[in-house]
Amino acid sequence: MIATIRAEWRKNRFRPAFLVSLAVVGASTVFVYGIVWYLATHPSPGNQQGVSLLTLYPDQFVNYVMGIGLLLGEAMAVVLGAVLAGSEYAWGTTKTMLTQRPGG
Amino acid sequence: MMSTENTTVVETHGLSKRFGRGVLAVDGVDMSVRRGEVYGFLGPNGAGKTTTLKMLVGLIGATSGTATVAGHAPGDPAGLAKIGCLIEGPGFYPYLTGRDNLRVVADLASVSQKRVDEVLDLIEMTSRAGRKFGTYSTGMKMRIGVAAALLKDPELLILDEPTAGLDPQGMAEMRKLITDIGQGERTVLISSHLLGEVQQTCDRVGVISNGKLVRESTVEDLLGDEGVFVRAEPSERANEVLTGMFGRAAVVRENGHFNLKTDPGQSLAINRQLMASGVAVSELRPVERSLEDVFFQLTGDKQGS
């Protein structure tokens, strides 16, 4: 099991699709956090229920930032999964993997 | 190359594969590969070689029939631990180096990372192992494929068309590599449609055509007995002399020449006897059937076109 995880890490850490997806996830997290930060620090004058600065605290991070980015993240995960599975098939690496020692 | 021990490493009985309701790709193949031999699986393109090999390693299931590979059913993890294979060309990650690709395979096969350097050394790719796989030539890719198959130090090595796409030098190098790998107790099963390659590297061959195994024997048996070709005049007198020497059954007369079923070492005696009998010999040479002749005879001339 550990060896399998190590193999997955070894092959994915330099994989263009993986790296691009990681960069996009990072960028969208910063973007969403930036929006929340902007709304918290620049409340509109007439809006008494603006975004509180409390939303920028770490305990609210998952709730706000990840919550808002969830849909985007799900879509990206589907695309990344399709790209990974497709390229494994195209490169013939599926055959290479399946003829090793399953469960080793 | 061949071991004296004749235990069977691969054995199939009535192995068949039908895709959907259509093509019967493999039709009742009964084959046996013995321990320590280099076995050539010979057949034209589309004959069913790769499909058979895929069934042996469990990549696809058989429609009917049974197979035992390295003492286990195809695809059994315990059996796969003893098998190294290269099916339909090398499948690796183009953005990883040759060495990193082998490291991934070593992890999946539960093999020590030290073994990666050993096999790289064995296939003489150590100095080029740091380059990305996608930048390799076809020959280098094939070598990495063989290296991956050797990682487990397998009892049985299955190589599907290992010289496909290689230039003559690459083919010669791969032949040498296969011959070296096949030394000792390791069993090697290679499929090919290149007759010279099989003739030079294999102890026994199985010939498959239209999904059926039409012949399985040693290369020598497949090629048949040697003979002597004689062209001499007058033909009638030559026939009398040759029949007198070897018997009627060993002399085949056709189109003004004779094919004698005898050891080519008899050529000198044949020449002397004919000359002494007043027969002029214009041609006398040993006859050897090539594997190509046998192949076309077994599979039909139009196969593989």
Side-chain angles (χ1 to χ4, degrees):
Chain A
M1 183 68 180
I2 297 291
T4 308
I5 293 169
R6 196 168 51 227
E8 285 297 319
W9 171 242
R10 212 186 276 283
K11 74 184 186 192
N12 280 325
R13 62 186 168 164
F14 297 124
R15 192 173 202 147
F18 181 74
L19 296 177
V20 168
S21 300
L22 206 62
V24 172
V25 167
S28 52
T29 302
V30 170
F31 177 71
V32 171
Y33 188 77
I35 290 175
V36 176
W37 173 83
Y38 183 83
L39 292 175
T41 54
H42 298 79
S44 54
N47 187 358
Q48 297 298 313
Q49 295 179 339
V51 179
S52 165
L53 274 174
L54 291 174
T55 56
L56 299 178
Y57 284 10
D59 66 326
Q60 295 296 311
F61 183 82
V62 172
N63 196 19
Y64 279 84
V65 177
M66 299 300 272
I68 294 168
L70 191 62
L71 276 177
L72 183 63
E74 281 175 344
M76 287 202 53
V78 169
V79 171
L80 179 64
V83 168
L84 293 186
S87 53
E88 293 271 357
Y89 185 78
W91 292 328
T93 44
T94 310
K95 282 196 301 274
T96 307
M97 301 308 132
L98 291 176
T99 52
Q100 298 313 312
R101 192 182 305 180
Chain B
M1 274 182 278
M2 202 187 300
S3 163
T4 51
E5 194 182 355
N6 272 351
T7 53
T8 305
V9 178
V10 178
E11 191 158 17
T12 70
H13 295 287
L15 195 67
S16 300
K17 178 67 185 178
R18 184 184 290 279
F19 290 103
R21 291 181 182 175
V23 183
L24 184 59
V26 177
D27 185 6
V29 166
D30 296 312
M31 70 186 283
S32 65
V33 181
R34 299 170 191 157
R35 187 174 303 282
E37 73 179 0
V38 179
Y39 184 100
F41 198 34
L42 195 59
N45 292 331
K49 301 185 296 291
T50 300
T51 305
T52 304
L53 297 185
K54 279 182 167 178
M55 284 193 280
L56 294 182
V57 297
L59 282 174
I60 56 174
T63 307
S64 62
T66 60
T68 308
V69 187
H72 299 271
D76 186 314
L80 286 176
K82 301 176 188 173
I83 303 169
C85 64
L86 171 61
I87 307 281
E88 280 186 326
F92 294 101
Y93 300 98
Y95 57 88
L96 290 181
T97 64
R99 180 178 276 108
D100 280 342
N101 268 297
L102 292 179
R103 283 180 173 158
V104 171
V105 177
D107 278 337
L108 291 169
S110 304
V111 171
S112 159
Q113 292 293 323
K114 284 181 189 170
R115 179 74 183 147
V116 169
D117 288 325
E118 288 173 18
V119 294
L120 280 171
D121 196 36
L122 191 69
I123 59 154
E124 297 170 4
M125 281 284 289
T126 304
S127 62
R128 290 165 288 184
R131 278 175 51 187
K132 286 186 179 176
F133 182 79
T135 66
Y136 284 160
S137 67
T138 308
M140 290 156 83
K141 285 178 179 173
M142 209 58 97
R143 279 174 175 267
I144 292 291
V146 174
L150 286 169
L151 273 173
K152 289 181 270 189
D153 195 12
E155 273 179 35
L156 171 64
L157 187 65
I158 299 176
L159 303 174
D160 182 23
E161 308 265 9
T163 57
L166 301 188
D167 60 20
Q169 181 167 350
M171 287 170 77
E173 288 172 2
M174 184 57 74
R175 265 200 304 272
K176 181 182 179 303
L177 181 62
I178 292 167
T179 306
D180 292 345
I181 291 167
Q183 301 289 338
E185 284 297 298
R186 181 176 288 133
T187 309
V188 182
L189 166 55
I190 58 171
S191 80
S192 182
H193 62 271
L194 299 176
L195 308 168
E197 171 186 307
V198 169
Q199 191 165 358
Q200 289 176 54
T201 45
C202 298
D203 299 308
R204 287 201 313 137
V205 294
V207 181
I208 187 169
S209 177
N210 291 324
K212 290 183 175 153
L213 193 72
V214 291
R215 184 78 185 266
E216 188 178 57
S217 69
T218 62
V219 174
E220 291 77 23
D221 285 348
L222 197 66
L223 294 175
D225 297 330
E226 294 172 314
V228 177
F229 178 97
V230 178
R231 193 183 297 277
E233 291 292 338
S235 189
E236 284 306 321
R237 179 67 185 134
N239 190 35
E240 284 171 25
V241 174
L242 294 172
T243 306
M245 286 179 79
F246 302 107
R248 195 166 296 278
V251 179
V252 179
R253 188 178 179 181
E254 43 185 50
N255 299 330
H257 68 265
F258 301 90
N259 279 319
L260 309 180
K261 293 176 184 170
T262 187
D263 180 5
Q266 295 284 320
S267 296
L268 189 60
I270 294 167
N271 192 31
R272 275 193 186 137
Q273 192 73 37
L274 289 170
M275 297 292 280
S277 306
V279 176
V281 179
S282 59
E283 195 174 353
L284 192 151
R285 57 180 166 82
V287 174
E288 287 178 5
R289 285 207 303 170
S290 70
L291 196 52
E292 189 173 62
D293 296 333
V294 180
F295 180 78
F296 284 135
Q297 190 183 333
L298 290 170
T299 63
D301 287 350
K302 290 177 182 174
Q303 277 284 344
S305 58

mmCIF file of all heavy atoms in Angstrom, chain B residues 6 9 23 105 120 151 160 162 165 171 179 187 196 200 207 235 242 274 289:
data_model
loop_
_atom_site.group_PDB
_atom_site.id
_atom_site.type_symbol
_atom_site.label_atom_id
_atom_site.label_comp_id
_atom_site.label_asym_id
_atom_site.label_seq_id
_atom_site.Cartn_x
_atom_site.Cartn_y
_atom_site.Cartn_z
ATOM 1 N N ASN B 6 12.472 -30.447 -18.164
ATOM 2 C CA ASN B 6 11.398 -30.178 -19.116
ATOM 3 C C ASN B 6 10.072 -29.846 -18.461
ATOM 4 O O ASN B 6 9.022 -30.159 -18.997
ATOM 5 C CB ASN B 6 11.237 -31.369 -20.060
ATOM 6 C CG ASN B 6 12.147 -31.219 -21.264
ATOM 7 O OD1 ASN B 6 12.738 -30.162 -21.450
ATOM 8 N ND2 ASN B 6 12.252 -32.253 -22.050
ATOM 9 N N VAL B 9 6.276 -24.232 -18.060
ATOM 10 C CA VAL B 9 6.049 -22.944 -17.402
ATOM 11 C C VAL B 9 4.738 -22.321 -17.884
ATOM 12 O O VAL B 9 4.019 -21.696 -17.122
ATOM 13 C CB VAL B 9 7.233 -21.987 -17.673
ATOM 14 C CG1 VAL B 9 6.989 -20.633 -17.031
ATOM 15 C CG2 VAL B 9 8.516 -22.581 -17.133
ATOM 16 N N VAL B 23 -15.296 -11.350 -34.067
ATOM 17 C CA VAL B 23 -14.035 -11.990 -34.438
ATOM 18 C C VAL B 23 -13.573 -13.022 -33.406
ATOM 19 O O VAL B 23 -13.519 -12.739 -32.215
ATOM 20 C CB VAL B 23 -12.936 -10.913 -34.575
ATOM 21 C CG1 VAL B 23 -11.620 -11.539 -35.025
ATOM 22 C CG2 VAL B 23 -13.378 -9.833 -35.538
ATOM 23 N N VAL B 105 7.813 1.626 -11.587
ATOM 24 C CA VAL B 105 7.470 0.211 -11.793
ATOM 25 C C VAL B 105 8.006 -0.624 -10.628
ATOM 26 O O VAL B 105 7.326 -1.545 -10.138
ATOM 27 C CB VAL B 105 8.027 -0.297 -13.142
ATOM 28 C CG1 VAL B 105 7.736 -1.778 -13.320
ATOM 29 C CG2 VAL B 105 7.428 0.485 -14.292
ATOM 30 N N LEU B 120 19.365 -1.411 -15.356
ATOM 31 C CA LEU B 120 19.870 -0.391 -16.292
ATOM 32 C C LEU B 120 21.256 -0.781 -16.784
ATOM 33 O O LEU B 120 21.591 -0.607 -17.964
ATOM 34 C CB LEU B 120 19.914 0.976 -15.603
ATOM 35 C CG LEU B 120 18.585 1.721 -15.512
ATOM 36 C CD1 LEU B 120 18.712 2.940 -14.621
ATOM 37 C CD2 LEU B 120 18.090 2.135 -16.895
ATOM 38 N N LEU B 151 12.816 -6.296 -13.950
ATOM 39 C CA LEU B 151 12.933 -5.787 -12.572
ATOM 40 C C LEU B 151 12.670 -6.868 -11.522
ATOM 41 O O LEU B 151 13.333 -6.933 -10.502
ATOM 42 C CB LEU B 151 11.966 -4.621 -12.361
ATOM 43 C CG LEU B 151 12.485 -3.237 -12.748
ATOM 44 C CD1 LEU B 151 11.371 -2.211 -12.652
ATOM 45 C CD2 LEU B 151 13.642 -2.815 -11.855
ATOM 46 N N ASP B 160 6.547 -9.150 -26.352
ATOM 47 C CA ASP B 160 5.693 -9.104 -27.542
ATOM 48 C C ASP B 160 6.357 -8.216 -28.591
ATOM 49 O O ASP B 160 6.478 -7.011 -28.386
ATOM 50 C CB ASP B 160 4.324 -8.552 -27.121
ATOM 51 C CG ASP B 160 3.335 -8.505 -28.275
ATOM 52 O OD1 ASP B 160 3.517 -9.254 -29.243
ATOM 53 O OD2 ASP B 160 2.386 -7.709 -28.185
ATOM 54 N N PRO B 162 9.541 -7.682 -29.614
ATOM 55 C CA PRO B 162 10.552 -6.809 -29.003
ATOM 56 C C PRO B 162 11.415 -6.052 -30.008
ATOM 57 O O PRO B 162 12.088 -5.099 -29.616
ATOM 58 C CB PRO B 162 11.412 -7.784 -28.181
ATOM 59 C CG PRO B 162 11.221 -9.102 -28.832
ATOM 60 C CD PRO B 162 9.841 -9.106 -29.390
ATOM 61 N N GLY B 165 9.892 -1.996 -35.014
ATOM 62 C CA GLY B 165 10.288 -0.603 -35.225
ATOM 63 C C GLY B 165 11.768 -0.329 -35.087
ATOM 64 O O GLY B 165 12.193 0.821 -35.185
ATOM 65 N N MET B 171 17.953 -4.167 -33.979
ATOM 66 C CA MET B 171 17.441 -5.538 -33.947
ATOM 67 C C MET B 171 18.531 -6.515 -33.524
ATOM 68 O O MET B 171 18.291 -7.425 -32.729
ATOM 69 C CB MET B 171 16.895 -5.926 -35.327
ATOM 70 C CG MET B 171 15.588 -5.238 -35.646
ATOM 71 S SD MET B 171 15.081 -5.449 -37.347
ATOM 72 C CE MET B 171 14.461 -7.088 -37.317
ATOM 73 N N THR B 179 19.124 -13.194 -26.203
ATOM 74 C CA THR B 179 19.927 -14.410 -26.058
ATOM 75 C C THR B 179 20.616 -14.429 -24.692
ATOM 76 O O THR B 179 20.634 -15.451 -24.007
ATOM 77 C CB THR B 179 20.988 -14.487 -27.185
ATOM 78 O OG1 THR B 179 20.312 -14.354 -28.436
ATOM 79 C CG2 THR B 179 21.725 -15.801 -27.163
ATOM 80 N N THR B 187 12.953 -18.600 -18.501
ATOM 81 C CA THR B 187 12.201 -18.945 -19.702
ATOM 82 C C THR B 187 11.814 -17.653 -20.417
ATOM 83 O O THR B 187 11.395 -16.694 -19.771
ATOM 84 C CB THR B 187 10.914 -19.708 -19.306
ATOM 85 O OG1 THR B 187 11.278 -20.775 -18.443
ATOM 86 C CG2 THR B 187 10.195 -20.235 -20.513
ATOM 87 N N GLY B 196 13.743 -14.413 -39.232
ATOM 88 C CA GLY B 196 15.169 -14.505 -38.939
ATOM 89 C C GLY B 196 15.434 -14.355 -37.454
ATOM 90 O O GLY B 196 16.260 -15.067 -36.871
ATOM 91 N N GLN B 200 17.099 -17.275 -35.134
ATOM 92 C CA GLN B 200 18.392 -17.058 -34.482
ATOM 93 C C GLN B 200 18.332 -17.110 -32.961
ATOM 94 O O GLN B 200 19.339 -17.331 -32.313
ATOM 95 C CB GLN B 200 18.964 -15.700 -34.903
ATOM 96 C CG GLN B 200 19.423 -15.678 -36.354
ATOM 97 C CD GLN B 200 19.882 -14.289 -36.759
ATOM 98 O OE1 GLN B 200 20.731 -13.690 -36.115
ATOM 99 N NE2 GLN B 200 19.323 -13.774 -37.822
ATOM 100 N N VAL B 207 3.749 -21.848 -34.214
ATOM 101 C CA VAL B 207 3.301 -21.025 -35.340
ATOM 102 C C VAL B 207 1.788 -20.875 -35.257
ATOM 103 O O VAL B 207 1.063 -21.868 -35.203
ATOM 104 C CB VAL B 207 3.693 -21.657 -36.696
ATOM 105 C CG1 VAL B 207 3.235 -20.769 -37.852
ATOM 106 C CG2 VAL B 207 5.186 -21.887 -36.768
ATOM 107 N N SER B 235 19.946 -37.249 -67.577
ATOM 108 C CA SER B 235 19.076 -37.303 -66.418
ATOM 109 C C SER B 235 18.685 -38.737 -66.031
ATOM 110 O O SER B 235 18.641 -39.086 -64.852
ATOM 111 C CB SER B 235 17.828 -36.474 -66.729
ATOM 112 O OG SER B 235 17.060 -36.315 -65.592
ATOM 113 N N LEU B 242 21.672 -42.367 -58.599
ATOM 114 C CA LEU B 242 21.246 -41.808 -57.308
ATOM 115 C C LEU B 242 20.282 -42.750 -56.593
ATOM 116 O O LEU B 242 20.358 -42.920 -55.365
ATOM 117 C CB LEU B 242 20.581 -40.432 -57.518
ATOM 118 C CG LEU B 242 21.524 -39.344 -58.045
ATOM 119 C CD1 LEU B 242 20.746 -38.078 -58.416
ATOM 120 C CD2 LEU B 242 22.603 -39.011 -57.018
ATOM 121 N N LEU B 274 28.643 -40.145 -59.595
ATOM 122 C CA LEU B 274 28.032 -39.699 -60.853
ATOM 123 C C LEU B 274 29.090 -39.566 -61.950
ATOM 124 O O LEU B 274 28.877 -39.995 -63.089
ATOM 125 C CB LEU B 274 27.313 -38.351 -60.634
ATOM 126 C CG LEU B 274 26.017 -38.400 -59.809
ATOM 127 C CD1 LEU B 274 25.525 -36.998 -59.454
ATOM 128 C CD2 LEU B 274 24.919 -39.150 -60.573
ATOM 129 N N ARG B 289 15.804 -25.781 -45.991
ATOM 130 C CA ARG B 289 14.577 -24.983 -46.032
ATOM 131 C C ARG B 289 14.741 -23.833 -45.059
ATOM 132 O O ARG B 289 15.240 -24.016 -43.960
ATOM 133 C CB ARG B 289 13.381 -25.839 -45.602
ATOM 134 C CG ARG B 289 12.938 -26.806 -46.665
ATOM 135 C CD ARG B 289 11.478 -27.142 -46.546
ATOM 136 N NE ARG B 289 11.129 -27.686 -45.247
ATOM 137 C CZ ARG B 289 9.873 -27.876 -44.858
ATOM 138 N NH1 ARG B 289 8.893 -27.559 -45.648
ATOM 139 N NH2 ARG B 289 9.609 -28.391 -43.677
#
